[in-house]
Amino acid sequence: MMEAPLALRLPLEGVLLIEASAGTGKTHTIADLVVRLLIEGGRDIGEILVVTFTRAATEELRDRIRTRIGEAKAAFATGDGGDNETVRGLLERCDDHARIAGELANALTRMDEASVCTIHSFCQQMLQEYAFESGEAFEASFEFDQQQMLETIVEDFWRRRFYRESPAFVEVVNALWTTPRGLLDQVRACVSVPNSEIRPSLDPQGLARARDRFLGALRQLPRRWAEQRAEVCEILRTHKGLRRTREKYKLERVEELIGRMDELAPQDLQEFLLPDAFVFFTRAEIMQAPLKKHAPPEHPFFDYCQELAERSQALCRDIRILVLREAVDYLQAELQRRKRDLNALSYDDLLTRLHNALSEDRTGALKAAIRRRFPVALIDEFQDTDPLQYEIFRGLYTGCKGLGLFMIGDPKQAIYSFRGADVFTYIGARRATPDRFTLSRNWRSAEGLVRGINAVFEGSRGRAFVFDEDIPFIGAVAAGKADAAPLMIDGRQPAPLQVWCLEKGGARFLHRKTAVASLLPACAAEISRLIALGSAARARIGAAPLKAEDIAVLVRSRYEAEEVRSELRRLRIASVFISQESVYATEEALELIQVLRAVAEPGGEARLRGALCTRMLGLNAEDLFRMQHDEGEWEQCLQRFQGYRDIWLKRGFMAMFQHLLVEAGVIERVLGVSDGERRMTNLRHLGELLQAASQI
């Protein structure tokens, strides 16, 4: 006998963790739980809080919940539970069907009162609804995008901190980050977390001591080189333990290195970064170039250079730690000051202010108000929760009778820090939650594929996800739904999970370029074979012939995607590129920046030349040379860009943008290249984003 669905077996109070892999019906379970809370839990639709992490996910969840309530209402009105196991189970164990159908109809008409929202929206709502209890201002404006403010602040820090520093210090900073934006990218996550620290900590006195130790050792270079030059040169020129076939220790290269050290040694060096040539005299580098059957050469000068290199690396590491810590402190303090002056809140502030308000809620009035408002909360995608978010919900719902907190997530995805997940937050929550349940039926994949995936991970001997005690691998069970229309080739079902191995041909390892040169044609050829079989009705998915749109290729980056697309184009196979990458990271965004800079300053001829040579505007070097030497044509170009600027100032950004696209022939030019539709879509999307930003 098949076990009842999890949504029917869960307790409706307490703190529960529901672990769900992809395809196991997580969203269905959430919708079923809401229905059960309405029917058996006696909850009102407005008392149930459903939290997820993106706006798109909130709309999907809201639609799914509305649909499920509608199905349950129809089931209780007619006595027919349909295909939904949870609804059928509720129908069997509940009496007074007519009353329940009426209550569900009421909930359906009041779906606009249902709180299905992101965690930031929830925090904003609580701060506004309970302004007295939280101590927040009523009229705070919500400046959700604080990126521009952060960029301004980090530029201020860059000027204040580095403009008066020594050239040696600034050289290290430029090598580490190049620009203020590079520094901001490294500290952004810490700026958003209150009381965050850069570890290990370092004080300026410790940095000064490290600097003095390094410079003291560096000052010995002239004496050591003068005393040991002859011996070192003899080793580098004649020692049989150096592999001469390697570029760096070929005889002509050795003479260059000796000459470079001759130039360096007499100088009063003050740099913290050693010159590039210096590394070839270090013991570690010498050890990497030995010939077989010969010991690598040894000499005190190589040991001295090794010590200098290590002290240089340690000093640069200390500078990095110190600057990161100072940058975080400055950005946190300055960001709060500026937002306080503007009476503005960001997304991150919504979290920190609600967390602080709950922490300082000595009378318990704020917690009591939120608990009355939402006695039950369901947290979707819980694996993406950070420590602050978890603390908010743990503080609200732990240890309180009559309340329910359902945390639903995939523990295997808790490792994705790039999405904001924190694996240790998940592990801590799991350890603190004894009531744990698992959704194990996979509704999305065929049985053979599920068994194959299980076999791969079970072969890891219990170490599939490193944290084997806290994130164990639990094999899924195929629900059988996907087997209704299997892939069949010539009447036979191929193995659902196949692994292709690339022969190394005796090499110890394969360079990426070598591997790609074999893998890309093989991948494209297999896709071509499958499409051809589908066209001949020899490959089918269920009753339908296999088509190109049934095939997907998963890659790690847009660059790999472009490599696959190029290979498919060679075989005349059309493809589309689907990515979650930001449109700001595309080539079109970089080109549009160049064009807009030229529009903003039409008299700046260098910027104008750069804009004209973009794919958008289409000039090549020959065209540009000819235009610049035709005074009349160049003047017309300058006037055209001045006209774009005038339209921008008088009629707004979008009017200028549309005019530029048409007059400069951008649309025809972009659509004329490969994947032109995607490029044009990116440009239009960027135009809409810039138009929205121009109206703030």
Side-chain angles (χ1 to χ4, degrees):
M1 183 176 178
M2 186 175 290
E3 191 176 34
L6 182 62
L8 283 176
R9 294 183 279 116
L10 291 171
L12 297 181
E13 293 183 6
V15 178
L16 292 78
L17 178 62
I18 304 168
E19 298 184 323
S21 298
T24 55
K26 175 171 59 68
T27 307
H28 280 282
T29 299
I30 292 172
D32 287 346
L33 270 173
V34 170
V35 169
R36 187 170 164 227
L37 284 163
L38 294 172
I39 295 174
E40 293 189 326
R43 300 298 182 186
D44 183 80
I45 189 66
E47 294 180 324
I48 303 171
L49 172 67
V50 182
V51 173
T52 189
F53 283 80
T54 66
R55 287 193 176 121
T58 63
E59 292 307 310
E60 180 188 355
L61 267 174
R62 184 180 291 275
D63 288 344
R64 192 70 61 85
I65 291 168
R66 180 186 290 109
T67 300
R68 190 56 42 80
I69 294 174
E71 292 172 355
K73 182 200 78 168
F76 276 87
T78 63
D80 181 4
D83 296 331
N84 187 283
E85 294 178 77
T86 302
V87 172
R88 288 204 308 269
L90 290 170
L91 196 62
E92 291 172 3
R93 66 194 203 188
C94 292
D95 299 323
D96 200 355
H97 290 183
R99 176 186 60 79
I100 292 174
E103 291 174 352
L104 291 172
N106 178 51
L108 202 57
T109 60
R110 295 170 50 227
M111 267 301 294
D112 59 323
E113 298 178 28
S115 290
V116 183
C117 57
T118 65
I119 188 168
H120 295 93
S121 297
F122 164 71
C123 293
Q124 178 183 353
Q125 182 183 353
M126 296 301 95
L127 290 171
Q128 289 180 328
E129 283 190 17
Y130 305 113
F132 281 120
E133 292 87 345
S134 66
E136 285 298 319
F138 284 99
E139 300 299 325
S141 63
F142 290 91
E143 301 290 340
F144 291 127
D145 186 3
Q146 61 186 24
Q147 172 66 19
Q148 187 172 359
M149 185 178 287
L150 279 172
E151 289 177 3
T152 302
I153 295 171
V154 81
E155 287 168 1
D156 290 344
F157 172 79
W158 191 274
R159 286 189 292 269
R160 291 169 180 262
R161 181 63 181 84
F162 305 137
Y163 280 14
R164 295 184 182 179
E165 267 291 356
S166 67
F169 192 99
V170 172
E171 184 185 16
V172 174
V173 169
N174 283 328
L176 288 169
W177 298 293
T178 309
T179 64
R181 177 73 67 86
L183 175 59
L184 178 60
D185 289 341
Q186 285 203 357
V187 301
R188 190 190 313 275
C190 294
V191 171
S192 303
V193 179
N195 305 318
S196 60
E197 296 181 6
I198 302 293
R199 299 188 181 202
S201 185
L202 181 77
D203 58 30
Q205 289 75 23
L207 179 64
R209 289 191 295 271
R211 178 199 62 206
D212 293 343
R213 285 195 298 269
F214 169 73
L215 292 177
L218 187 60
R219 292 189 191 100
Q220 300 175 28
L221 178 61
R223 176 182 60 80
R224 285 179 176 266
W225 181 244
E227 293 174 354
Q228 300 169 342
R229 182 184 186 280
E231 296 173 359
V232 172
C233 292
E234 179 70 14
I235 290 172
L236 293 178
R237 287 168 177 155
T238 64
H239 198 285
K240 293 182 179 180
L242 285 175
R243 190 185 298 274
R244 301 297 173 183
T245 55
R246 289 201 173 191
E247 181 66 30
K248 55 190 172 187
Y249 290 113
K250 283 185 176 180
L251 291 179
E252 56 268 30
R253 176 62 171 155
V254 164
E255 296 304 322
E256 291 178 19
L257 294 173
I258 293 171
R260 183 69 180 123
M261 188 61 77
D262 285 337
E263 295 173 4
L264 290 173
Q267 298 179 28
D268 181 21
L269 295 176
Q270 297 291 324
E271 290 85 358
F272 300 156
L273 294 171
L274 292 172
D276 292 339
F278 201 91
V279 70
F280 296 103
F281 292 86
T282 62
R283 182 179 65 251
E285 194 70 17
I286 293 286
M287 293 286 288
Q288 288 183 14
L291 276 172
K292 290 181 179 179
K293 300 180 181 179
H294 291 280
E298 297 181 4
H299 193 276
F301 188 76
F302 300 150
D303 297 334
Y304 162 71
C305 292
Q306 182 69 34
E307 179 188 356
L308 266 184
E310 290 172 357
R311 289 191 176 187
S312 171
Q313 292 169 2
L315 180 58
C316 293
R317 183 179 63 246
D318 289 348
I319 289 173
R320 179 177 180 273
I321 293 170
L322 182 69
V323 170
L324 288 174
R325 194 194 70 180
E326 291 179 353
V328 169
D329 291 345
Y330 183 88
L331 264 69
Q332 283 184 336
E334 190 65 14
L335 183 64
Q336 293 306 318
R337 185 189 67 79
R338 296 190 187 193
K339 288 192 291 193
R340 192 163 52 247
D341 291 346
L342 294 172
N343 194 25
L345 298 177
S346 71
Y347 271 127
D348 295 328
D349 292 326
L350 296 171
L351 291 170
T352 54
R353 294 204 179 187
L354 181 58
H355 178 268
N356 292 341
L358 291 169
S359 301
E360 297 165 5
D361 183 26
R362 294 183 178 85
T363 65
L366 178 59
K367 290 178 184 174
I370 295 175
R371 289 165 181 161
R372 283 193 302 271
R373 178 77 169 82
F374 297 117
V376 179
L378 295 89
I379 314 299
D380 184 26
E381 303 291 359
F382 180 73
Q383 75 278 348
D384 291 342
T385 303
D386 65 28
L388 203 64
Q389 295 163 354
Y390 175 56
E391 282 293 320
I392 289 172
F393 289 107
R394 186 180 69 85
L396 281 171
Y397 291 95
T398 300
C400 297
K401 273 194 165 187
L403 302 181
L405 175 63
F406 301 82
M407 301 177 290
I408 307 105
D410 184 350
K412 298 179 292 299
Q413 295 185 44
I415 63 172
Y416 296 150
S417 60
F418 66 88
R419 296 198 328 191
D422 185 318
V423 66
F424 298 108
T425 296
Y426 187 92
I427 288 174
R430 193 177 193 274
R431 290 176 178 175
T433 309
D435 293 333
R436 297 193 294 265
F437 303 86
T438 302
L439 287 169
S440 57
R441 270 199 287 175
N442 187 300
W443 298 87
R444 192 178 298 168
S445 303
E447 182 180 358
L449 181 59
V450 172
R451 282 193 282 107
I453 296 294
N454 287 345
V456 169
F457 283 95
E458 286 165 357
S460 63
R461 301 181 187 277
R463 301 283 296 173
F465 306 110
V466 180
F467 303 102
D468 49 297
E469 292 184 5
D470 295 298
I471 306 181
F473 174 72
I474 300 174
V477 177
K481 186 177 180 181
D483 291 298
L487 171 65
M488 303 293 288
I489 297 178
D490 290 333
R492 299 180 62 185
Q493 186 173 354
L497 178 63
Q498 301 179 32
V499 178
W500 289 10
C501 297
L502 185 62
E503 294 292 339
K504 294 192 296 182
R508 291 179 61 193
F509 60 87
L510 286 177
H511 191 278
R512 181 186 181 278
K513 288 184 178 179
T514 306
V516 167
S518 299
L519 293 172
L520 285 176
C523 176
E526 177 66 4
I527 291 172
S528 177
R529 182 183 79 89
L530 290 171
I531 292 173
L533 289 171
S535 299
R538 294 171 57 194
R540 295 177 175 274
I541 297 179
L546 176 71
K547 301 182 292 298
E549 53 262 40
D550 296 322
I551 300 172
V553 181
L554 304 184
V555 294
R556 293 188 302 174
S557 68
R558 62 187 296 267
Y559 304 105
E560 290 185 0
E562 191 53 48
E563 289 177 325
V564 175
R565 295 192 70 199
S566 297
E567 193 64 29
L568 290 172
R569 277 197 298 270
R570 189 179 65 79
L571 298 180
R572 302 179 183 275
I573 299 173
S575 60
V576 294
F577 174 40
I578 301 172
S579 172
Q580 292 183 337
E581 186 178 57
S582 169
V583 71
Y584 295 118
T586 61
E587 181 182 340
E588 291 70 49
L590 296 175
E591 288 200 349
L592 186 55
I593 288 174
Q594 289 181 273
V595 173
L596 293 181
R597 282 173 175 165
V599 173
E601 297 182 28
E605 296 195 8
R607 291 190 170 187
L608 180 55
R609 287 193 295 269
L612 292 171
C613 291
T614 60
R615 193 192 298 261
M616 283 179 64
L617 301 184
L619 265 64
N620 57 32
E622 184 179 341
D623 295 333
L624 185 61
F625 181 83
R626 177 186 51 76
M627 179 182 285
Q628 285 196 280
H629 287 78
D630 184 328
E631 189 173 335
E633 189 175 359
W634 185 248
E635 184 61 31
Q636 286 180 0
C637 183
L638 290 171
Q639 290 178 359
R640 191 162 65 250
F641 272 76
Q642 180 64 54
Y644 297 149
R645 184 175 185 275
D646 291 342
I647 294 173
W648 191 346
L649 294 175
K650 293 176 182 177
R651 296 167 51 196
F653 170 80
M654 186 54 75
M656 178 279 297
F657 184 62
Q658 296 287 5
H659 184 73
L660 184 150
L661 292 179
V662 174
E663 187 187 72
V666 175
I667 298 174
E668 295 83 355
R669 190 174 298 108
V670 172
L671 289 177
V673 303
S674 71
D675 70 349
E677 291 186 6
R678 179 180 65 83
R679 292 177 180 274
M680 198 62 229
T681 299
N682 287 343
L683 276 176
R684 293 194 183 281
H685 186 194
L686 288 163
E688 292 169 0
L689 292 170
L690 289 168
Q691 170 65 12
S694 70
Q695 295 176 329
I696 295 177

